[in-house]
Amino acid sequence: MVTAARQQPESAPDASRTFPKGFLWGTATASYQIEGAAGEDGRTPSIWDTYARTPGRVRNGDTGDIATDHYHRWREDVALMAELGVGAYRFSLAWPRIQPTGRGPAVQKGLDFYRRLVDDLLDKGIQPVATLYHWDLPQELEDAGGWPERATAERFAEYASLAAEALGDRVRTWTTLNEPWCSAFLGYGSGVHAPGRTDPVAALRAAHHLNLGHGMAVQALRDRLRADAQVSVTLNIHHVRPLTATEADLDAARRIDALANRVFTGPMLRGAYPEDLFKDTATLTDWSFVRDGDLETAHQPLDFLGVNYYSPTLVSQADGSGTHTSDGHGKSAFSPWPAADEVAFHQSPGQTTAMGWAIDPSGLYELLRRLSSEFPRLPLVITENGAAFDDYADPEGNVNDPGRIAYVRDHLAAVHDALRDGSDVRGYFLWSLLDNFEWAHGYSKRFGAVYVDYPTGRRIPKASARWYSQVARTGVLPGA
């Protein structure tokens, strides 16, 4: 389903809104973006270590070798969360820190780091939400073929078992994958993410084995967790809009919706790939890598769906140039959209963030309503939403970021409007707790509610952190 026109929420923009009791307020990070300690306590390189250390891949030659040094400063970071008053912290486990080669037994020092982190979170009344995979595949598994190979899905399930056995007594909420679209199509299609490969068939193969790995990991988690544990997956559902209501532009939106969204929601939530995806990509592959039983494995019951949203996607039929560089995911000579060269991407209207992404909370409202319509019995959680701006500390050491406050306020208003109109949204996680390593952008983009002075590691809560703290503590979103 795609939409040609925006649906405007009806609530007055200056009215305060109260969220339901029990609505979960959190913040989020990812292991490679914050931990550092890249070679400590048995951790071996991930695909992102290799990618970042390759000249020309990451802006300014930045790497996550130190990042925000969370591996050594985690107590300080948990204390910051306690000061903010958030009820939950979504973090990812570093696969190469727990299982360095992607095979065999776990490294206890790696697990001990997460045990200490989780214990401190629980001690301060903060619910830990663990993501198994936020893109840091052990390099040895990539050397063996990576996500385009079936064996990687099998290794992922084994890793899920190790993590659940070690942390299942402490962690009640688990996510298998974060944004598998990025892993498959940016990592193996356009090459702007690790491992930097540019093969459209490998991207489609990776998407399938991520679906399969997700299902296998859900089974492994269910086998080892308590009955009251919650298991989910996080998808960056693209809210795709056609430039016009012409048949050609509507078909372009349909094609991108299949590659961006239904390639994952189909197997994971329905147990089948969409037929139009097979037809659209028939010139590339016959999908014979999908084996009997794979779709049943991928289609596992979930307790909620994690939704990441930043900006809508605007497309049209291409004019013949085959442009794909304006899709907001990074410039490359290779497309992350297999068999979609006839689709053009356009900048959505309105103000933008430092990433160049349009600020459009109506897209979040429409997305939540779509998901609620298509999957009415599946609760939703906003697992990432936020914005990068050109933040700086003034001479007094303050960081004022009114743009971020406005962005978060308006998107929370969209969430509240979706709740009002029947969407079952259970929580919101602000991206991100800290300024951090922003993938191919290195340290040039700041998403954090907390400013990080990278030379010293000093943390400075921004004005948005104080504002978000008040919302999280009260459950009331003030008007503009």
Side-chain angles (χ1 to χ4, degrees), residues 183-219:
S183 299
F185 295 100
L186 300 184
Y188 295 93
S190 65
V192 300
H193 276 194
R197 289 163 61 180
T198 53
D199 179 345
V201 176
L204 293 170
R205 289 175 60 93
H208 175 64
H209 293 128
L210 284 156
N211 283 324
L212 180 63
H214 155 77
M216 290 178 169
V218 173
Q219 292 175 328

Side-chain angles (χ1 to χ4, degrees), residues 56-307:
R57 291 293 200 181
V58 175
R59 186 175 297 184
N60 300 320
D62 293 339
T63 74
D65 288 356
I66 299 174
T68 68
D69 200 27
H70 174 74
Y71 191 76
H72 300 112
R73 305 181 69 144
W74 58 271
R75 289 183 180 85
E76 179 181 358
D77 294 337
V78 174
L80 281 169
M81 285 183 266
E83 291 176 14
L84 288 177
V86 296
Y89 175 47
R90 176 178 175 255
F91 62 98
S92 72
L93 307 175
W95 190 348
R97 195 179 296 287
I98 292 175
Q99 195 186 31
T101 66
R103 299 177 177 85
V107 172
Q108 291 305 311
K109 286 186 177 180
L111 289 173
D112 285 345
F113 166 70
Y114 295 110
R115 290 183 178 111
R116 291 190 297 269
L117 172 65
V118 168
D119 286 347
D120 199 23
L121 290 167
L122 293 172
D123 185 61
K124 291 179 171 57
I126 301 169
Q127 177 182 332
V129 178
T131 297
L132 287 170
Y133 187 72
H134 200 133
W135 308 350
D136 43 3
L137 183 72
Q139 182 61 44
E140 285 199 27
L141 291 184
E142 173 59 24
D143 294 342
W147 283 110
E149 299 303 319
R150 186 181 197 86
T152 304
E154 296 167 349
R155 300 291 83 72
F156 182 59
E158 294 167 5
Y159 156 63
S161 294
L162 293 176
E165 288 171 0
L167 299 168
D169 61 334
R170 297 164 165 87
V171 179
R172 295 286 181 265
T173 305
W174 293 78
T175 298
T176 56
L177 304 171
N178 178 79
E179 297 185 354
W181 185 88
C182 295
S183 299
F185 295 100
L186 300 184
Y188 295 93
S190 65
V192 300
H193 276 194
R197 289 163 61 180
T198 53
D199 179 345
V201 176
L204 293 170
R205 289 175 60 93
H208 175 64
H209 293 128
L210 284 156
N211 283 324
L212 180 63
H214 155 77
M216 290 178 169
V218 173
Q219 292 175 328
L221 291 173
R222 298 286 191 201
D223 285 347
R224 287 156 181 80
L225 298 176
R226 289 177 25 166
D228 61 351
Q230 292 196 318
V231 179
S232 66
V233 67
T234 283
L235 303 178
N236 55 322
I237 304 288
H238 290 60
H239 184 60
V240 185
R241 291 170 172 158
L243 184 65
T244 72
T246 63
E247 183 178 349
D249 286 1
L250 287 168
D251 190 64
R254 176 205 58 76
R255 182 181 290 263
I256 296 305
D257 183 62
L259 285 168
N261 302 326
R262 290 181 286 121
V263 66
F264 296 109
T265 60
M268 291 182 182
L269 304 182
R270 298 189 188 279
Y273 282 106
E275 286 299 322
D276 59 327
L277 174 67
F278 288 159
K279 293 177 182 178
D280 291 343
T281 58
T283 57
L284 295 174
T285 178
D286 61 3
W287 290 78
S288 58
F289 47 82
V290 179
R291 298 184 185 177
D292 290 345
D294 282 3
L295 293 172
E296 289 82 359
T297 299
H299 184 211
Q300 297 296 317
L302 298 176
D303 296 292
F304 66 89
L305 174 66
V307 179

Side-chain angles (χ1 to χ4, degrees), residues 397-411:
N398 300 312
V399 182
N400 295 308
D401 55 342
R404 183 172 290 102
I405 293 173
Y407 179 99
V408 176
R409 181 189 62 232
D410 292 347
H411 283 76

